Amino acid sequence: MVYLSIFVLLLVCSLVHEKKDVLYFFVMCVLYFVFLALRYGQGTDYFNYKTLYLLNPEEYENFFVNSYKNATEPLFFLLNVFARQCGLGFQFVIIFCALICVGCSFFFIKKFSVYKLFSFFILYTNYFFYFQSAIRQSVAMVIIATAIFNYVKQKKKCFYYLLVCLAMMFHTSAIIGMVIPFILRINLKFIFHPFIFLCIAILSITLSVFIPKILVLIISLINPRYSYYSSNFSTNYGAILLRFILSFLVIYLTRKNKIDEFSRKIAVLYLVGNLIYFSVSSISILSRLSDYFSFLEVILIPNIVTKPKMNDLKCSFCVFILLFSALFIKDIVEAQKQDNYYSKMIYDYPYITIFDKKRVLTEKEITQVLKSRLLEEK
């Protein structure tokens, strides 16, 4: 009920656009941080990352070998080493990552969004479970988003590439940030033409039968840890349909509404990202590259729906609200399945904190080894 209660509160707040929204937004961000930081055992990779934290200290000598073997980038590995050596506990890693995710989000929403509560609504409904599960990539994603928004606004290349390199130290997929300045140099005005975008999208989906297999084969040769994906292909047609709807809504609003150059460039990146997704959606590890583009919707969508009192824009605003609400419900259902919770009811998805750790034993199915470890914890 906690998740749904916050969702309803945000839904109500998102429908109110007034000057005081900065204060409400700040309070929401603080609560969001606390919510992420104090969770225990939630998120598909929580205990996998905890295993990394529990590595024996003598293994630290072979730092680069270990980081490669454990599929972990250098900074995240060092963060775990620091927490272990200082006796801070694994929860310090969770708190630190939550602080980066929420802190960066607060910074760029406050600076670049004209509709802050709606931005936060999108952040919560579409990315809360992402932040909770894909911990390393979440940190990389918010750093890349901060870099993109500042680069589009201020054109500081050195600062941009510095942030991209920092993000890559948390998750290798952030390397996609290296090509974004080149994309922005190309004149892609044609991408806002609905028919042209539709043709490119259909071509991308058609090529998705061949492109991912070739790319994954090349990547697995460079790094064997990705060889698993060379034989696992599945296409989520529901996700493709959703991206289609969001893309055409963005195209419609950018053509209908007079938007500034900043929002137009972000819209170009967002649409390019969706086309990338259509091309590689059958491989989960490659489709993650498009997440860096789709995350830009946190700023883009609120900025192009700036006057919801107008009939056409009001209708689009309601469609976005419905879409992101549906996504939130879908994420709860998926989280219940992936985390092996006993309860499958949407309203009954539990929130487990570090103050009631052993509750995880009664809420979800876990291995016997992990169960014995949990019982040993104080």
Side-chain angles (χ1 to χ4, degrees):
M1 282 299 290
V2 177
Y3 296 92
L4 290 176
S5 299
I6 294 176
F7 165 73
V8 172
L9 176 62
L10 282 173
L11 182 59
V12 173
C13 289
S14 296
L15 298 173
V16 181
H17 184 202
E18 48 185 72
K19 293 179 180 178
K20 291 186 289 184
D21 66 358
V22 176
L23 176 61
Y24 298 145
F25 167 61
F26 175 75
V27 173
M28 290 294 183
C29 280
V30 172
L31 293 175
Y32 194 40
F33 164 69
V34 172
F35 212 50
L36 279 172
L38 298 184
R39 76 185 190 280
Y40 178 80
Q42 296 190 285
T44 52
D45 287 338
Y46 185 97
F47 289 115
N48 289 335
Y49 287 133
K50 190 164 187 177
T51 302
L52 170 68
Y53 169 81
L54 294 173
L55 283 175
N56 294 323
E58 52 267 23
E59 293 186 76
Y60 298 157
E61 295 178 9
N62 302 315
F63 169 72
F64 289 106
V65 175
N66 285 328
S67 63
Y68 180 86
K69 181 181 68 178
N70 293 291
T72 305
E73 283 69 23
L75 276 183
F76 189 75
F77 189 92
L78 280 174
L79 178 61
N80 279 273
V81 171
F82 174 78
R84 180 77 184 271
Q85 294 293 84
C86 295
L88 299 173
F90 176 67
Q91 201 62 32
F92 173 82
V93 177
I94 298 297
I95 293 171
F96 181 86
C97 291
L99 182 63
I100 297 296
C101 288
V102 179
C104 287
S105 299
F106 174 80
F107 168 77
F108 61 68
I109 290 176
K110 183 176 182 296
K111 188 172 182 180
F112 300 110
S113 176
V114 298
Y115 203 159
K116 294 172 181 56
L117 288 177
F118 189 31
S119 285
F120 188 78
F121 177 80
I122 296 173
L123 184 71
Y124 178 75
T125 55
N126 209 18
Y127 294 99
F128 176 79
F129 291 100
Y130 194 101
F131 285 178
Q132 188 170 263
S133 296
I135 301 174
R136 290 179 298 129
Q137 188 167 359
S138 296
V139 173
M141 195 165 67
V142 296
I143 293 173
I144 290 292
T146 304
I148 291 172
F149 294 132
N150 278 283
Y151 176 75
V152 172
K153 203 75 173 180
Q154 301 173 352
K155 302 293 184 187
K156 294 181 179 178
K157 277 190 179 181
C158 290
F159 181 65
Y160 174 81
Y161 284 115
L162 180 65
L163 288 180
V164 171
C165 290
L166 179 65
M168 286 172 61
M169 293 297 99
F170 277 96
H171 205 278
T172 311
S173 62
I175 195 172
I176 192 69
M178 292 292 183
V179 304
I180 287 176
F182 299 99
I183 295 174
L184 290 172
R185 287 181 190 175
I186 305 171
N187 186 350
L188 296 175
K189 289 183 180 180
F190 62 84
I191 206 170
F192 293 109
H193 193 289
F195 180 73
I196 294 176
F197 182 84
L198 178 62
C199 290
I200 299 174
I202 293 173
L203 178 62
S204 298
I205 294 172
T206 304
L207 291 175
S208 68
V209 178
F210 311 102
I211 293 177
K213 295 181 180 180
I214 297 170
L215 289 176
V216 169
L217 181 61
I218 295 171
I219 293 171
S220 61
L221 290 173
I222 298 171
N223 191 333
R225 91 188 202 199
Y226 296 113
S227 59
Y228 164 80
Y229 298 97
S230 61
S231 59
N232 287 271
F233 299 88
S234 62
T235 302
N236 188 336
Y237 293 104
I240 289 176
L241 177 61
L242 175 67
R243 298 269 187 144
F244 255 111
I245 295 171
L246 288 171
S247 295
F248 281 102
L249 278 171
V250 167
I251 289 171
Y252 169 74
L253 290 172
T254 51
R255 288 167 65 89
K256 185 78 175 180
N257 198 13
K258 290 183 179 180
I259 62 173
D260 58 19
E261 189 62 20
F262 171 81
S263 296
R264 184 169 292 277
K265 287 182 177 180
I266 298 301
V268 167
L269 292 176
Y270 181 76
L271 294 174
V272 167
N274 283 345
L275 292 174
I276 292 174
Y277 178 79
F278 297 150
S279 300
V280 298
S281 59
S282 60
I283 303 292
S284 61
I285 194 70
L286 291 179
S287 64
R288 282 189 171 195
L289 294 173
S290 68
D291 293 344
Y292 293 95
F293 296 88
S294 60
F295 186 62
L296 302 177
E297 67 195 5
V298 172
I299 297 297
L300 173 64
I301 292 175
N303 281 12
I304 60 178
V305 188
T306 54
K307 300 176 182 177
K309 291 183 179 179
M310 295 170 59
N311 289 332
D312 53 347
L313 294 180
K314 187 176 182 179
C315 182
S316 299
F317 177 76
C318 291
V319 171
F320 281 125
I321 288 287
L322 289 172
L323 283 173
F324 288 115
S325 298
L327 278 171
F328 181 67
I329 300 300
K330 177 189 74 69
D331 285 347
I332 290 181
V333 173
E334 287 186 357
Q336 285 175 314
K337 290 179 181 177
Q338 292 174 2
D339 273 1
N340 297 317
Y341 286 98
Y342 291 117
S343 173
K344 304 302 178 185
M345 304 302 292
I346 295 173
Y347 62 83
D348 202 28
Y349 183 78
Y351 174 60
I352 303 171
T353 72
I354 57 174
F355 304 111
D356 58 352
K357 293 180 180 180
K358 292 184 180 179
R359 187 174 155 219
V360 76
L361 297 171
T362 59
E363 296 286 358
K364 61 192 295 187
E365 299 175 30
I366 55 177
T367 64
Q368 194 61 41
V369 174
L370 183 57
K371 185 178 289 189
S372 61
R373 254 189 210 170
L374 291 172
L375 291 171
E376 290 171 3
E377 288 189 6
K378 294 181 180 180

